[in-house]
C-alpha cells in the first residue's frame, strides 16, 4: 500500500474510533465519578453518561451528536517518507469519515455561513506538526466538541500576581462556564509563551490521559490543587449540583516574557474524544488508545 | 428524589406533583422544536392558524436530531439536547398558548420561563448533555416530519417515545429553578474556594 493510502486509512480509523469509543482512562474516570458522586442529580446524569457510552459502543454510532471540529496532531519522524502527502491524506480521511461514520458536518465559512458539508474547509481539519527523531509518523485525532470549546478562556494576567493570579483565573473560568460545557470536563491549562502559545499548550494538555501523572512534581501539585478547587465549587455534573465538575486538570507550560503571564484554559467534554496511532517505516500500524478493529 | 413515569397527554394536575430534583421519564408523544419552530408556532397562533399537531399535554424537546431514512422509514441516529437558553425568548408564550407540560433540553432556562411554568403548569426536564444515543434509543418511532422547509435540525419532528429519560426536573411548576439555585450556591462558595487556593 502507498504511504498516503495508509495514512488515510489510519486517520479514518482514528476518527471513527474516537467518536464512537472513549479511551479507557476517560471511561474509568467517569465510572469513578459515578461511584463517588453524592448528589442525586449528579449520580443520575453520570449513570446516563455511562449508559450512553455503552449504547454507542454496541450500536457503533457516535457518542454525542456533535462530532466536533476535526483536529490532528502529527509527530513526524524527520526520516519518515511521504510527509508532504500527510495533509491531503488527512483531508480525504475526514471527508470519508463524515460520510461513512457518519460525522456531523461542522465546517462553516465564518463570512458566508455556508457549511462545506464534509468537515473540511480553510485550515480545517487543522494539523499541528511536530518533527521528531526517527522514521515513523504518529497521528492523534481530536474531534473537538463546540459546547466545551465555547467556554475556553485566555487571560493575560499581571506577572506580579503570578501563580496566584493563574489559580484565580482558572477557577473564575470554571465558575463562569457553569453548566455550559456538559460537565464533568477535563481542563487543559497552558501557561506562558504568549497568547497563542498558552492556548495551544492548553489544548495540547487535553491529550494527556487522565491516569498519567504530570512528570513535573510542581505541576502535579498545581494540577491537584486546581482539581480539588474546581470540584469544590459545587457546579457538578451538567451543572445540576454535585462533587464532579471536572475529571482532571492537565497543565502545560512554556517560559514567558518578563512582562507577560498568559494563561490559557481549554475545555474537553466528558465525551473526551481522542485516538492515536503510529505508522512505522515498514507500513506497520500500532494503535495506542484503541485496539484496531 | 422521586421517580415519575408519565404518559402523554400529561395533565396540569400530574405535572404539579413534580418537584425539582425529581426524575421523570416520559412515554408518548414528543415534538422537537428549536428557535425557528418556536417562532413560527407563535406566529401561527397570532394569525389563528392551527399547528400541524395539537401540543396540549405533550413534551417539547430542544433538539436537532440526526436522522436517516431506511426503506422509506425515518430512523433517529442521535438526538442529544441543545442549549435551551436560546429558546428563552419564546418559551413563556409557547407554554401559555399551547399548554405543553414538559420542556426538555440542556443547561436550564431563565426567570421568564420559570414564571410561565408556575402560572400554567409545566416543568423543565434536563436531559444529560451529549447523551445522544441514549435519547435516540428511547425514540421508538418517527410519526411525522413537519415544517421541513426550516431544515432538518430546525423542523418539527414528531416522535413516539418510550420512557424517555432520565430527565432531572430542574424547573418545577412551583417557581423553583435548580440551575439558578446551584448558581447561587456556587457564587456563595466562590470566596471559600479562593481561600482554599490561597488567592
Ligand atoms: S459540549 Fe461536548 S458533550 Fe456536550 S453536547 Fe457539546 S460536544 Fe457533546
Amino acid at each position: 500500500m502507498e504511504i498516503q493510502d495508509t495514512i488515510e486509512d489510519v486517520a479514518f480509523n482514528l476518527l471513527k474510533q474516537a467518536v464512537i469509543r472513549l479511551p479507557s482512562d476517560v471511561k474509568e474516570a467517569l465510572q469513578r465519578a459515578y461511584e463517588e458522586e453524592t448528589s442525586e442529580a449528579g449520580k443520575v446524569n453520570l449513570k446516563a453518561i455511562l449508559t450512553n457510552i455503552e449504547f454507542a459502543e454496541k450500536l457503533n454510532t457516535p457518542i454525542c451528536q456533535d462530532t466536533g471540529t476535526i483536529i490532528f496532531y502529527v509527530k513526524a519522524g524527520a526520516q519518515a517518507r511521504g510527509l508532504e502527502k500527510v495533509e491531503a491524506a488527512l483531508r480525504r480521511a475526514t471527508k470519508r469519515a463524515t460520510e461513512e461514520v457518519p460525522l456531523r458536518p461542522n465546517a462553516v465559512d465564518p463570512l458566508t455561513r455556508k457549511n462545506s458539508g464534509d468537515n473540511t474547509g480553510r485550515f480545517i481539519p487543522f494539523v499541528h506538526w511536530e518533527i521528531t527523531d526517527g522514521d515513523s509518523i504518529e497521528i492523534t485525532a481530536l474531534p473537538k466538541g463546540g459546547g466545551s470549546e465555547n467556554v475556553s478562556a485566555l487571560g493575560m494576567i499581571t506577572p506580579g500576581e503570578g501563580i496566584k493570579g493563574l489559580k484565580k483565573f482558572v477557577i473564575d473560568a470554571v465558575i463562569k462556564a457553569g453548566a455550559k460545557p456538559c460537565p464533568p470536563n477535563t481542563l487543559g491549562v497552558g501557561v506562558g509563551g504568549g497568547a497563542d502559545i498558552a492556548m495551544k499548550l492548553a489544548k495540547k494538555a487535553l491529550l494527556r490521559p487522565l491516569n498519567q501523572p504530570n512528570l513535573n512534581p510542581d505541576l502535579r501539585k498545581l494540577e491537584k490543587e486546581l482539581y480539588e478547587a474546581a470540584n469544590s465549587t459545587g457546579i457538578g455534573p451538567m451543572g445540576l449540583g454535585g462533587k464532579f465538575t471536572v475529571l482532571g486538570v492537565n497543565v502545560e507550560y512554556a517560559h514567558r516574557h518578563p512582562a507577560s503571564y498568559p494563561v490559557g484554559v481549554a475545555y474537553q467534554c466528558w465525551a473526551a474524544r481522542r485516538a492515536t496511532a503510529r505508522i512505522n517505516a515498514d507500513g506497520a500500524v500500532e494503535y495506542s488508545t484503541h485496539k484496531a478493529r | 428524589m422521586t421517580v415519575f413515569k408519565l404518559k402523554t397527554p400529561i395533565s396540569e394536575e400530574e405535572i404539579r406533583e413534580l418537584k425539582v430534583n425529581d426524575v421523570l421519564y416520559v412515554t408518548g408523544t414528543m415534538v422537537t422544536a428549536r428557535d425557528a419552530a418556536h417562532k413560527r408556532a407563535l406566529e401561527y397562533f397570532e394569525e389563528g392558524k392551527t399547528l400541524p399537531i395539537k401540543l396540549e399535554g405533550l413534551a417539547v424537546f430542544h433538539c436537532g436530531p440526526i436522522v436517516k431514512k431506511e426503506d422509506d422509514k425515518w430512523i433517529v441516529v442521535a438526538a442529544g439536547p441543545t442549549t435551551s437558553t436560546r429558546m428563552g425568548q419564546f418559551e413563556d408564550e409557547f407554554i401559555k398558548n399551547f399548554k405543553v407540560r414538559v420542556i426538555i433540553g440542556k443547561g436550564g432556562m431563565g426567570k421568564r420561563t420559570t414564571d410561565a411554568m408556575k402560572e400554567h403548569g409545566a416543568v423543565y426536564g434536563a436531559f444529560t448533555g451529549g447523551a445522544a444515543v441514549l435519547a435516540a434509543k428511547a425514540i421508538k418511532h418517527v410519526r411525522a416530519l413537519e415544517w421541513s422547509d426550516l431544515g432538518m435540525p430546525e423542523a418539527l419532528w414528531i416522535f413516539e417515545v418510550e420512557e424517555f429519560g432520565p430527565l432531572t426536573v430542574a424547573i418545577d411548576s412551583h417557581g423553583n429553578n435548580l440551575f439558578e439555585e446551584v448558581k447561587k450556591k456556587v457564587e456563595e462558595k466562590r470566596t471559600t474556594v479562593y481561600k482554599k487556593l490561597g488567592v
Side-chain angles (χ1 to χ4, degrees):
Chain A
M1 207 194 253
E2 295 284 330
I3 182 72
Q4 64 263 39
D5 297 331
T6 307
I7 295 167
E8 181 184 328
D9 279 357
V10 168
F12 171 84
N13 288 339
L14 291 175
L15 287 172
K16 185 167 179 187
Q17 289 167 352
V19 298
I20 295 173
R21 295 155 69 228
L22 292 182
S24 54
D25 61 288
V26 180
K27 283 197 270 190
E28 277 156 26
L30 286 163
Q31 177 67 36
R32 199 176 42 107
Y34 168 65
E35 281 157 19
E36 290 175 16
E37 181 55 76
T38 44
S39 109
E40 285 175 337
K43 244 186 152 61
V44 166
N45 279 278
L46 285 162
K47 180 81 205 164
I49 285 174
L50 293 172
T51 314
N52 188 76
I53 292 169
E54 229 183 277
F55 284 169
E57 285 185 12
K58 255 190 223 147
L59 300 170
N60 226 11
T61 61
I63 307 158
C64 172
Q65 75 280 359
D66 178 5
T67 46
T69 293
I70 308 304
I71 299 168
F72 290 103
Y73 289 82
V74 179
K75 276 189 196 164
Q79 272 81 46
R81 283 181 310 119
L83 291 181
E84 74 284 6
K85 295 180 180 129
V86 169
E87 293 219 13
L90 295 179
R91 280 180 95 85
R92 285 198 302 277
T94 302
K95 287 185 187 178
R96 220 173 98 200
T98 304
E99 219 178 287
E100 291 176 30
V101 174
L103 309 178
R104 192 171 79 180
N106 275 346
V108 178
D109 184 312
L111 303 177
T112 64
R113 293 174 152 223
K114 196 173 169 310
N115 193 320
S116 71
D118 61 10
N119 272 313
T120 71
R122 186 167 159 82
F123 291 128
I124 296 292
F126 196 88
V127 185
H128 292 275
W129 286 93
E130 196 180 315
I131 309 291
T132 59
D133 266 351
D135 52 11
S136 62
I137 305 173
E138 188 192 277
I139 303 173
T140 297
L142 179 77
K144 184 62 186 59
S148 63
E149 189 70 12
N150 285 346
V151 293
S152 314
L154 172 71
M156 304 302 285
I157 64 174
T158 319
E161 291 177 275
I163 208 86
K164 276 191 185 177
L166 175 150
K167 289 180 187 170
K168 182 165 182 296
F169 183 77
V170 173
I171 287 309
D172 286 345
V174 171
I175 292 179
K176 190 165 171 226
K180 288 192 204 96
C182 297
N185 304 91
T186 304
L187 233 56
V189 179
V191 195
D196 58 331
I197 298 162
M199 283 315 299
K200 188 181 156 111
L201 289 174
K203 196 168 244 168
K204 200 174 168 207
L206 298 176
L207 300 179
R208 198 179 90 219
L210 287 161
N211 55 9
Q212 196 175 297
N214 201 317
L215 296 174
N216 178 321
D218 293 330
L219 291 184
R220 199 156 62 226
K221 186 168 158 266
L222 178 63
E223 287 175 355
K224 187 160 177 276
E225 275 181 78
L226 290 171
Y227 171 83
E228 280 166 6
N231 281 348
S232 66
T233 58
I235 296 167
M238 297 299 141
L240 290 162
K243 271 178 26 184
F244 285 90
T245 305
V246 298
L247 296 172
V249 180
N250 291 351
V251 183
E252 282 272 352
Y253 79 105
H255 280 63
R256 63 176 177 85
H257 185 283
S260 58
Y261 204 118
V263 180
V265 180
Y267 262 81
Q268 179 57 298
C269 309
W270 62 258
R273 290 153 288 185
R274 60 175 154 80
T276 304
R278 197 171 72 207
I279 305 167
N280 292 323
D282 61 1
V285 182
E286 291 168 52
Y287 289 88
S288 49
T289 45
H290 299 66
K291 293 258 176 307
R293 22 173 56 194
Chain B
M1 177 189 99
T2 315
V3 178
F4 288 87
K5 296 191 174 178
L6 297 180
K7 283 203 169 80
T8 65
I10 299 168
S11 70
E12 180 174 350
E13 213 181 346
E14 282 175 297
I15 221 67
R16 295 235 181 243
E17 296 267 310
L18 276 55
K19 303 260 154 51
V20 286
N21 261 317
D22 284 341
V23 172
L24 171 64
Y25 291 86
V26 175
T27 296
T29 309
M30 186 172 84
V31 179
T32 68
R34 310 212 320 179
D35 323 37
H38 273 80
K39 193 158 172 260
R40 185 178 288 181
L42 292 177
E43 282 164 11
Y44 268 46
F45 186 83
E46 290 267 298
E47 294 160 12
K49 288 203 265 184
T50 42
L51 298 186
I53 179 168
K54 194 165 165 268
L55 293 172
E56 187 167 344
L58 304 188
V60 168
F61 187 18
H62 298 155
C63 166
I66 302 181
V67 186
K68 64 177 179 189
K69 212 164 198 176
E70 251 172 36
D71 306 326
D72 240 28
K73 251 182 69 186
W74 289 109
I75 314 261
V76 181
V77 181
T82 189
T83 303
S84 297
T85 42
R86 289 202 317 275
M87 273 58 80
Q89 52 176 322
F90 308 115
E91 212 68 277
D92 51 348
E93 285 293 305
F94 201 86
I95 292 166
K96 181 175 145 210
N97 297 341
F98 304 120
K99 307 271 175 293
V100 292
R101 297 289 171 218
V102 185
I103 304 287
I104 302 166
K106 74 162 178 162
M109 301 188 77
K111 187 161 186 323
R112 260 170 70 182
T113 309
T114 310
D115 290 346
M117 288 183 162
K118 185 176 176 185
E119 196 180 334
H120 306 288
V123 299
Y124 178 86
F127 189 84
T128 311
V133 194
L134 187 63
K137 268 209 105 179
I139 299 169
K140 296 300 166 193
H141 170 67
V142 177
R143 216 169 84 187
L145 162 65
E146 303 282 353
W147 295 353
S148 55
D149 60 297
L150 295 176
M152 298 288 251
E154 296 283 342
L156 278 189
W157 290 92
I158 304 171
F159 296 145
E160 289 304 322
V161 299
E162 206 176 297
E163 301 212 342
F164 187 91
L167 305 169
T168 303
V169 177
I171 306 175
D172 62 20
S173 63
H174 309 284
N176 302 306
N177 186 325
L178 184 55
F179 282 102
E180 291 304 320
E181 279 171 36
V182 172
K183 259 190 228 161
K184 228 178 102 199
K185 276 193 210 149
V186 171
E187 206 41 65
E188 285 164 13
K189 260 196 205 153
R190 190 191 285 265
T191 40
T192 330
V193 179
Y194 283 167
K195 229 184 239 159
K196 213 172 134 186
L197 277 172
V199 306

